[in-house]
Amino acid sequence: KDFTPLGLVAGTPILIVARKDFPAANLKEFVAKLMDPAAKVKQAHAGVGSVSFTTCSLFNSLAGATPTRVTYRGTGPALNDLAAGIVDAYFGDPATLGLIRSGKARAMAVTSPERWPVLPDTPAIAEAVKGYEAENWYGLAAPAGTPKPIVDRLYAAISKVLAEPDVKKKYDESGLTPALLPPAEYVAFLQRDSVTWGDVVRKGNIKIDE
């Protein structure tokens, strides 16, 4: 209520990664390990309420997974321990690409509904866990009550900028995908997203002070 949505501008999948020597040859075996209590898989996340946390919570719910969840204060410490083999799996943003490209971690899946062009050989998690879809996204907003003519003008400027080749190049380098949605569609998107993650929070009895 404090903002006037201007539009969605970018999206990116969450990367599901495993330590480099994790005993799973493919996504199917990886999911089976997380579903097996005897495997005692250590699943790291970047902190309660983070995108990393909510996406792995949704995965655990849909897959019936039972890993040991390990909470970190941010992406950096979680990735350091993943690279060191202290934890087994992590759900992270494109910052995780560095570990994958250096061979310090393995990409097991992406959370987008289809495979991601940046990692074309990495399957979408929905190929093993039906109905799973989650993406990180970025949008722009103005203060509440911003007049519509100004909103329209700002959206037109955003659209123009996103069409520029240099911007597209920067997006590609950052692992982002242009995902332009006008204000009204962006509002509907926010409402759908709120329902999805609200359900995850309620079903998991998640509290921010955990």
Side-chain angles (χ1 to χ4, degrees):
K1 293 180 181 180
D2 294 330
F3 301 97
T4 297
L6 298 177
L8 185 72
V9 297
T12 183
I14 300 301
L15 308 182
I16 302 176
V17 296
R19 57 180 168 84
K20 62 182 179 181
D21 55 351
F22 188 78
N26 51 49
L27 176 58
K28 184 178 180 180
E29 291 182 7
F30 175 77
V31 172
K33 285 287 185 184
L34 268 76
M35 294 172 65
D36 180 7
K40 298 181 179 179
V41 175
K42 294 179 181 177
Q43 181 192 63
H45 63 78
V48 176
S50 66
V51 172
S52 168
F53 176 82
T54 53
T55 50
C56 70
S57 296
L58 180 60
F59 169 84
N60 294 342
S61 176
L62 291 177
T66 55
T68 298
R69 304 184 70 174
V70 184
T71 303
Y72 286 86
R73 291 187 176 182
T75 297
L79 292 183
N80 288 340
D81 278 7
L82 181 71
I86 295 171
V87 293
D88 300 307
Y90 180 69
F91 286 56
D93 60 29
T96 315
L97 279 171
L99 287 188
I100 296 167
R101 289 169 173 164
S102 66
K104 295 179 180 178
R106 295 165 53 205
M108 302 306 302
V110 294
T111 62
S112 47
E114 298 177 351
R115 295 194 178 201
W116 190 35
V118 176
L119 296 173
D121 296 328
T122 301
I125 187 65
E127 295 176 30
V129 182
K130 188 176 180 181
Y132 189 103
E133 177 184 344
E135 292 188 271
N136 202 2
W137 52 265
Y138 302 89
L140 295 176
T146 299
K148 188 175 185 305
I150 295 178
V151 170
D152 292 342
R153 184 176 179 183
L154 288 170
Y155 177 72
I158 293 166
S159 303
K160 183 178 179 181
V161 168
L162 290 184
E164 294 179 1
D166 286 350
V167 174
K168 177 65 167 61
K169 182 181 178 182
K170 286 292 185 182
Y171 267 52
D172 290 341
E173 292 172 353
S174 303
L176 297 173
T177 302
L180 187 63
L181 282 181
E185 292 181 36
Y186 182 36
V187 169
F189 169 84
L190 290 172
Q191 292 170 341
R192 292 194 301 272
D193 219 43
S194 294
V195 170
T196 297
W197 299 114
D199 286 346
V200 170
V201 169
R202 284 188 291 273
K203 289 177 181 177
N205 193 29
I206 297 166
K207 296 178 174 57
I208 200 67
D209 57 354
E210 289 181 352

